[in-house]
Structures are given as structure tokens and as C-alpha cells.
Amino acid sequence: MEENRAALLKSPRAPVEVEQVEKWVPGAGEVLVRNEAIAFNPIEAKIQKWEMFQIEYPAILGYTFGGTVVSVGPNVNSVKVGNRVAVACWGPAAVDKRFGAYQKYPLALEENIVKLDSQTSLEEGSGVMANLATVVAALSICMKLGYPPINDRAPKNGKRIFIYSGSSSVGGLAVQYATDAGYEVVTTSSTANWDLVQRRGPSYIIDHTTPKDQLLESIKTNGPYNGIFDAIGSSEVTELLGDLLAEDGGLFWSTSPTPADPRLPKNVKKEWAGYSDLLVSRDENKDAKVWYLQEYLPKGLSSGRIFSNPSYVFPGGLESVQDALDAFMAGKVSGKKVFVNPQDQRH
């Protein structure tokens, strides 16, 4: 096998550096994957720039990827060499650089793998896997919304949910998930991504590029809401939802803490969590994990009902990892799921 290379984060807030790293050997319950699709998540850029979590350096970031199994360790039964898979770095894998997505040949825990059929692209599988796990945990475990049927839509239940950013990777999946579960969903998008968001089935889309006062009024007019979910976790949205709830007080859920959190009105509460970890690592949620990884996700991908935002692949392989991270911090990612193929070479 060729050498392994990785985009290493050597110190806090530093840019990544591409270097040769060790060739990992899979142990019990582990597989080695030829990584062909790093699926980027905005939280990774925040970890690099804001030091959101305590991590050991040098680190290999990246929490989702897709590729082909090249070797398996002992006691691996669900996949074999040559299988195409989507992988999420959950549990112990999330803090072990051998499993990080920003490398050509990462390890994967068998329990964190979904085998893909021939109709499902590596980008589709890896682009959805962790984002949809976030949605399941945020909406059904934390916000206590009902679960949707597999490959169907539940009857309307008379409840209304507000999801900010229906054009984002998490937000779009959340809109479809809640709609399929029987909720009326109000969401936001720029007009440029209107058609993409409409495919998710929301009841109403609000143009979030309108002036703030007008945006607030539109959100209020389409309420009241039985739940509010911020799918991008920015300071601007935190402030907006604080203003929305300031009069009567209330709670909203978000994907991330922000510098604006301490400025929220005292009667407004913001909750956030490591949602994927809640779903896959907590014993009390093991039934939900099995339903998600063995039923809902693979069947939805195979049928095409579950789909990611359109792919944008940064050319140049691992040398482009920092470009992708910078694009998130600059707010340049809209209505796309960002990928890098580590097997590509920059010319």
C-alpha cells in the first residue's frame, strides 16, 4: 500500500500542514479505509479557529468520510475488503488521530460504519451520515419530537417547528426530518437556494436576507412554534432568536455555542449538545442508534429519499483542506456540502 499522508493540526489555531504519517494497522473491531471523500462539517473549522474542545496536538481532524475498505481487523463481520462505506468518527474514534478524516488511509470502528449500495455515492453517504445523526438527536432526543416513518411521511400532527437555515447541510435534513415526522416546518433561506429547500417539504420559507426587523416580523407572524432549532450556530442567529423570544421568554436549541451566548436576555435559554455523540454513545439511546444506522439511514439512502445538499469538491486533495476550512469561517459555504478527495494531488 502507498504511504499515508494527513493534514495535521500541530498547535491551536494554526493552519493544517500536510505530511506523511504512520500507516495504521486495524485492531479488533477496526477497518482500514482508502479515503476518497472527506465530508466537511462547519464545527471542524470552529475547533481549529476557536479551540472549542480540548484536543491533543498534533491532531488529525475530520469526523466523516467515505471510501473503500482495504483491510479488516479481527472480529469484523459486517464489512469486507472492497466494500464501499460511509464512516463517522464517534465515541473513542473522535479523539484518536488514527481515525481522523483528514488523511488518505484512516481507521474506522466497525460500529461507526454504514455499508453503501451501488446506487449511493460516497459523497451522498458520508455527506449525510453525521449531519442526519445530529438531526435525529437534536429533534427527537433533545427536543422530544416524534420519529418519522422510514421512506414515508406521517400525517400532520398540528404542531409547528421553526428551523433556521433550511439551506445548510444540517438544516435541510432537519426540515425534511421534521416534515416527514408530521410537523409543519417554517424555515429560512436565501432566494438562491429556494428550490433546494423546497425539495425538503417545508410549509413556509422566509428569506433571511431581508432586513433584521422584517425578518423577525416574518418569523413571528408564522408562529407560534412548538420548537425552535438553529442549524448553523452563529452569533448573528443567536442574537436574532434572543430578540424573537425576549418578550415572553423561551428556549431554543442550536448546533454550537457562540460568543453572543452571554448576551442573550435572561429569560431566553439556548441549549446545544454534541448531538451525534448523544445518539451513538449513550446507552439510553441505543434503540434509536440501531434504528438510525440499520434502518432509517441505509434504507433512506438506497431509496433516494434521504439526500445531501449538492456536492462541492475542492480540487487538490489534502493540500486543499485548509481552503475548505477557511471557506466556512469566511461564510462562503451556502447550499452546498463540501468535500475533498485525499487521493487527489495538487498540481
Side-chain angles (χ1 to χ4, degrees), residues 55-125:
I55 60 176
E56 289 188 9
Y57 298 93
I60 302 175
L61 300 181
Y63 297 109
T64 41
F65 61 92
T68 306
V69 175
V70 292
S71 65
V72 301
N75 306 320
V76 172
N77 300 307
S78 63
V79 294
K80 60 185 180 180
V81 172
N83 284 160
R84 299 165 63 256
V85 294
V87 181
C89 301
W90 290 323
V95 293
D96 188 330
K97 66 181 180 182
R98 299 176 303 156
F99 297 85
Y102 298 175
Q103 58 187 315
K104 296 181 76 170
Y105 289 94
L107 291 176
L109 293 177
E110 181 184 18
E111 64 186 72
N112 293 345
I113 289 173
V114 169
K115 187 163 63 172
L116 304 177
D117 63 21
S118 59
Q119 287 96 272
T120 305
S121 70
L122 295 175
E123 289 79 14
E124 202 73 66

Side-chain angles (χ1 to χ4, degrees), residues 1-8 18-24 32-38 60-61 65-70 97-107 316-319 321 340-346:
M1 188 183 78
E2 64 178 318
E3 67 180 27
N4 189 19
R5 294 178 66 79
L8 289 162
V18 178
E19 295 181 1
Q20 183 173 341
V21 294
E22 188 176 341
K23 297 176 182 177
W24 316 119
L32 186 67
V33 178
R34 184 180 191 269
N35 185 3
E36 299 158 69
I38 300 169
I60 302 175
L61 300 181
F65 61 92
T68 306
V69 175
V70 292
K97 66 181 180 182
R98 299 176 303 156
F99 297 85
Y102 298 175
Q103 58 187 315
K104 296 181 76 170
Y105 289 94
L107 291 176
L318 291 171
E319 301 289 347
V321 165
V340 161
N341 182 348
Q343 307 304 324
D344 286 348
Q345 303 293 325
R346 173 164 282 182

Side-chain angles (χ1 to χ4, degrees), residues 29 48 50 55 57 66 76 83 90-91 118 131 140 144 191 200 211 221 243 252 267-268 274 279 306 325 334 344:
Q48 181 190 33
W50 295 351
I55 60 176
Y57 298 93
V76 172
N83 284 160
W90 290 323
S118 59
N131 290 155
S140 291
K144 309 301 183 186
T191 55
R200 306 286 188 182
T221 299
D243 292 345
F252 70 95
N267 62 344
V268 176
L279 176 64
I306 292 174
L325 293 168
S334 177
D344 286 348

Side-chain angles (χ1 to χ4, degrees), residues 1 18 26 30 32 47-48 51 54 60 90 104 151 159 164 218 230 260 268 276 278 294 300 308 311 337 342:
M1 188 183 78
V18 178
E30 300 173 353
L32 186 67
I47 291 170
Q48 181 190 33
E51 298 178 74
Q54 295 292 319
I60 302 175
W90 290 323
K104 296 181 76 170
N151 283 329
K159 297 180 179 179
Y164 192 93
S218 295
D230 161 25
V268 176
S276 290
L278 282 181
Q294 297 183 17
S308 68
S311 301
K337 185 65 181 178

Side-chain angles (χ1 to χ4, degrees), residues 324-333:
L325 293 168
D326 291 344
F328 282 108
M329 294 307 294
K332 294 180 179 179
V333 180

Side-chain angles (χ1 to χ4, degrees), residues 39-41 126-127 131 169 308-313 335-339:
F40 284 80
N41 302 290
S126 62
N131 290 155
S169 295
S308 68
N309 278 0
S311 301
Y312 179 80
V313 181
K336 301 289 185 183
K337 185 65 181 178
V338 172
F339 294 90

Side-chain angles (χ1 to χ4, degrees), residues 164-168 187-198 205-210 215 334-335:
Y164 192 93
S165 190
S167 61
S168 66
T187 191
T188 62
S189 171
S190 67
T191 55
N193 295 316
W194 213 268
D195 290 344
L196 171 65
V197 178
Q198 197 64 55
I205 306 173
I206 297 168
D207 182 358
H208 65 227
T209 65
T210 56
L215 176 58
S334 177

